[in-house]
């Protein structure tokens, strides 16, 4: 018979309770019930929800099929072995499911069957009765024992039918039955000394089972007084766990007889249980009952002790009494904590209320000693929730942060309310699993990196570091550079980064004169899910090195030697000339000082070391030979480490006056012009006649080619008169071939046309006050004239520029301080200029800004300086080309600093264009010569 009871409970975790019953001695495999069906669970989800039995509640007698929820008998159940004589026998089992956590309590009642017959302790029972016993005298008999309970337990006793005795069956307070032999008719020993009957014990099973014993009644001679107890029933209280030998009660019985008939012996009755005999003892002479074993309230709270008192006389008749021993509970059992399930780790993103563990708490004591209070020790983000009876769940009580605590030791303390209170604690370790909730963070938001110019490409320059408090893949950081442009090129062509270490490397050699600094952004990204990142700004600052020699810009001369005129009447302090130089470096590397290295042994001149002004220190001696020149060697030195220097040679000629010196020069020029007039005229006639027709054809061809590729027109002439021929020529030559030109092959030709436009380079020229009148606001437009010998020509391009520097990084993650250039084509500069009559005896001191604003250490002039190279066809200069070929920059300073129209310095770019055809070059050369008179050409 199987009885099913389902009780629904409204709790957080445990949802219901189910009860079954199963008969004992059921065979293996006997179906008890289907837990899953009875609870209404989905059988298909049992495996996915990890349907299982709580380990602490498992029993070897029952088993659950975890796939279909069937509860069946695993091995035979012997109720008498499990529950002894208990009125009810129950096996408990807890099962639970995950996702969500559901706990079910299963109670299985083991139903007793009548599988044990009653049995007597002995097969022969002997009772001695005095013949003087009166009818109605009762003689207790040894009880039979039946391990079954309920209706299958011992029900009654029977005795063989006779005329002297009958049985009176009585029931004890605990439900056990015992029989007393009642004398119905006086005995006569002389007629019958012994009586034999069959004593039968019958249980209540169906069919009933019986047990028998032989009852032998011996008739004795009379002892007419029996012992008498003070009261038939004694009740005492005894605390559990009292020590052995503790007095329970002192019994006292009296007998009116004398001698042996009045001497009493105390013994336990024959029908008391063996457990009582194990726990208690009685002194036969004194009737003192003492504790013999360990008394445990949890085992039983009441014991019945049956005692008989019998004198030593013949035919003694025993007297009986009952002692009820009530055991009082003491708080001798600490609570027990059992964890049914524990989650090894919980995500730091787990919501409050997430179940971590399921536990049960029990206490074997009763009343207040068994009432339990459960709590969690310490300040941890967990709390306890009561689920069902003595079951609790540990749930999260707030947000978790693995970066603050990666694990928690959760200690559960169970404390009862007894006196003294007993407590038990158990701890579990809960690991907090990491989530990618922290982005990498750089150690600083902006990194300033200083890199000396001329560095080795590929060299390490700095490192950036980002930290991520996460762990594992969530803390694995990779570095990268965000794409941006620097001077029109990707930042990744300038620097690179090691994605694992964050080391930065320079991919090119930096030039301070081209790029002062630039900025870009680096990104640190972890490999978690989702990926998190952060950025930092890296500012690379180029540190200037003293890698450029000073460059002498003025005065200019043939083969590096300048000639200056000195009137004999010049007063001390007369300004002979001013040395104008520049240095492409910056700071101390560009601060220049001037000195006379040679030719001033007599102290005729003095040099201002700051401004470069060469002045007379005294009057010219009257004895000085006018044909004897002063050969001065001027050194220009910067203040870098190590310092670099350049030199210039100046020849000072003595003249009576400046005007006389100019006139003498004109005469000599006229003589030379006359000598070469015939030859030059012939050359002009032949050249003009031979190239007129050829030039027309060339122009047609170039026009067709220019239509095909307009973008190859890389040269822009500075005047409207020369644009047609020059651009067509240069475009043709740039596509035809690429050849490096020398600086001597480029001629600077003055144009009288004043052109104001976006494509015109206007260079104001200011003449020194020592040399004549001022030509202010005069615009010079320089045209390109290439000689036929321009097979190897170095071209220098001059670009107009804006004085402001572009540092706008609003729409570009990179920033660089560079020179802002316009879109004009570069202007070609050369030192071989043909001067006019007005400038034959005057020296124009020009300066240009090269690459970016620079400082020229001269306070006398503020004007544009023109870069000069050595002349072609005049032999080697006294100074090496290295003094003049470096790309330089500077700014003018001097008296006329209020002068308007001052040009800003722009970069000189070396650009190797394709060679031009000799015919158009010769044509422009002839045009240039046609603008001069023969005397000027000769000069």
């Amino acid at each position: 018979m199987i009885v099913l009871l389902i009780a629904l409970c409204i709790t957080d975790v445990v949802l219901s309770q189910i009860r079954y019953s199963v008969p004992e001695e059921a065979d293996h495999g006997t179906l008890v019930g289907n837990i899953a069906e009875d609870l209404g669970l989905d059988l298909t989800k049992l495996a996915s929800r990890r349907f299982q039995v709580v380990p602490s509640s498992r029993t070897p007698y029952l088993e659950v099929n975890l796939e279909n929820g069937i509860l069946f008998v695993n091995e035979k159940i012997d109720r008498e072995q499990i529950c002894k004589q208990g009125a009810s026998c129950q096996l408990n089992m807890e099962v639970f499911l995950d996702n969500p956590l559901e706990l079910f309590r299963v109670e299985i009642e083991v139903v007793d069957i009548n599988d044990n017959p009653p049995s007597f302790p002995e097969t022969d029972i002997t009772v001695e009765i005095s013949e003087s016993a009166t009818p109605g005298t009762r003689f207790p008999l040894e009880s039979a024992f039946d391990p079954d309970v309920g209706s299958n337990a011992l029900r009654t006793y029977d005795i063989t039918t006779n005329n002297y005795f009958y049985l009176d069956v009585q029931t004890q307070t605990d439900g056990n039955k015992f029989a007393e032999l009642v004398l119905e008719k006086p005995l006569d020993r002389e007629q019958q000394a012994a009586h034999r009957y069959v004593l039968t014990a019958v249980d209540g099973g169906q069919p009933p089972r019986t047990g028998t014993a032989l009852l032998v009644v011996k008739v004795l001679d009379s002892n007419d007084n029996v012992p008498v107890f003070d009261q038939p029933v004694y009740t005492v209280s005894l605390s559990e766990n009292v020590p052995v030998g503790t007095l329970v009660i002192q019994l006292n019985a009296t007998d009116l007889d004398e001698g042996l008939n009045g001497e009493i012996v105390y013994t336990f009755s024959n029908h008391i249980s063996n457990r009582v005999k194990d726990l208690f003892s009685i002194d036969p002479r004194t009737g003192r009952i003492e504790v013999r074993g360990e008394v445990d309230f949890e085992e039983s709270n009441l014991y019945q002790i049956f005692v008989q008192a019998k004198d030593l006389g013949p035919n003694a008749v025993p007297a009986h009494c009952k002692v009820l021993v009530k055991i009082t509970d003491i708080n001798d059992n600490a609570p027990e904590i059992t964890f049914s399930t524990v989650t090894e780790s919980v995500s730091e993103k787990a919501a409050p209320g997430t179940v971590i563990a399921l536990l049960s708490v029990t206490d074997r004591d009763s009343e207040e000693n068994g009432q339990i209070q459960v709590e969690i020790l310490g300040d941890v983000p967990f709390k306890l929730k009561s689920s069902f009876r003595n079951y609790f769940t540990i749930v999260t009580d707030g947000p978790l942060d693995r970066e603050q605590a990666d694990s928690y030791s959760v200690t559960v303390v169970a404390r009862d309310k007894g006196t003294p209170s007993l407590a038990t604690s158990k701890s579990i370790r809960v690991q907090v699993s990491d989530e990618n909730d922290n982005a990498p963070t750089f150690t600083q938001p902006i990194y300033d990196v200083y890199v000396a110019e001329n560095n080795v490409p590929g060299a390490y320059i700095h490192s950036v570091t980002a930290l991520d408090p996460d762990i594992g893949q969530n803390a694995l950081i990779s570095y990268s550079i965000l794409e941006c442009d620097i001077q029109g090129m990707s930042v990744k062509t300038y620097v690179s980064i090691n994605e694992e270490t964050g080391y930065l490397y320079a991919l090119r050699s930096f030039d301070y004169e081209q790029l002062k600094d630039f900025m870009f952004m680096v990104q640190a990204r972890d490999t978690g899910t989702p990926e998190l990142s952060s950025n930092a700004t890296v500012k690379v600052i180029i540190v200037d090195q003293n890698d450029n020699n000073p460059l002498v810009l003025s005065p200019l001369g043939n083969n590096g030697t300048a000639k200056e005129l000195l009137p004999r009447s010049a007063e001390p302090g007369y300004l002979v000339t001013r040395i104008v130089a520049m240095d492409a470096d910056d700071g101390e590397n560009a601060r220049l000082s001037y000195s006379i290295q040679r030719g001033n042994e007599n102290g005729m001149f003095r040099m201002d070391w700051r401004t470069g002004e060469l002045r007379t220190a005294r009057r010219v001696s009257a004895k000085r030979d006018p044909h004897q020149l002063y050969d001065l060697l001027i050194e220009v030195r910067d203040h870098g480490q190590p310092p670099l220097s350049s030199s210039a040679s100046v020849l000072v000629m003595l003249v009576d006056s400046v005007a006389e010196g100019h006139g003498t020069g004109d005469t000599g020029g006229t003589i030379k012009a006359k000598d070469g007039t015939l030859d030059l005229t012939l050359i002009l006639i032949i050249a003009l006649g031979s190239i007129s027709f050829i030039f027309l054809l060339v122009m047609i061809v170039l026009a067709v080619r220019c239509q095909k590729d307009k973008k190859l027109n890389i040269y822009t002439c500075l005047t409207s008169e020369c644009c047609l021929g020059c651009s067509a020529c240069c475009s043709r030559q740039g596509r035809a071939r690429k050849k490096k030109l020398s600086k001597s092959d480029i001629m600077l030709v003055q144009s009288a046309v004043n052109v104001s436009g976006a494509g015109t380079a206007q260079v104001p020229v200011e003449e020194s006050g020592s040399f004549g009148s001022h030509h202010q606001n005069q615009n010079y437009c320089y045209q390109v004239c290439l000689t036929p010998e321009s097979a190897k020509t170095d071209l220098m391009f001059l670009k107009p520029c804006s004085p402001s520097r572009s540092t706008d990084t609003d729409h570009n993650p990179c920033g660089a301080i560079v020179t802002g250039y316009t879109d004009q084509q570069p202007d070609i500069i050369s030192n071989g200029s043909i001067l006019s009559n007005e400038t034959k005896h005057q020296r124009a001191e020009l300066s240009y800004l090269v690459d970016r604003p620079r400082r020229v250490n001269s306070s006398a002039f503020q004007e544009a300086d023109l870069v000069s190279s050595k002349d072609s066809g005049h032999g080697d200069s006294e100074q090496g080309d290295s003094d003049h070929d470096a790309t330089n920059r500077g700014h003018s300073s001097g008296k006329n600093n209020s002068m308007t129209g001052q040009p800003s310095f722009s970069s000189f770019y070396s650009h190797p264009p394709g060679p031009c055809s000799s015919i158009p070059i010769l044509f422009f050369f002839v045009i240039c010569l046609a603008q001069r008179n023969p005397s000027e050409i000769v000069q």
Side-chain angles (χ1 to χ4, degrees), residues 397-474:
D397 191 30
L400 303 178
D401 190 351
R402 191 209 61 80
E403 287 69 40
Q404 295 183 0
D406 60 355
S407 65
Y408 293 93
S409 179
V410 182
T411 301
V412 180
V413 177
R415 190 184 307 276
D416 60 29
K417 295 183 179 180
T419 304
S421 178
L422 299 179
T424 300
S425 64
K426 274 192 177 182
S427 299
I428 61 173
R429 174 67 63 175
V430 179
Q431 300 290 336
V432 180
S433 60
D434 185 46
E435 296 289 342
N436 193 25
D437 56 347
N438 292 279
T441 304
F442 283 94
T443 56
Q444 56 191 85
I446 299 177
Y447 293 85
D448 290 333
V449 180
Y450 293 87
V451 181
E453 66 172 331
N454 304 320
N455 58 290
V456 178
Y460 165 84
I461 58 174
H462 201 67
S463 67
V464 296
T465 303
L467 304 176
D468 195 325
D470 294 324
I471 59 174
Q473 291 294 325
N474 297 331

Side-chain angles (χ1 to χ4, degrees), residues 687-700:
L688 291 175
S690 61
I691 69 173
S692 296
F693 178 74
I694 300 175
F695 175 72
L696 181 60
L697 296 179
V698 171
M699 291 299 297
I700 295 175

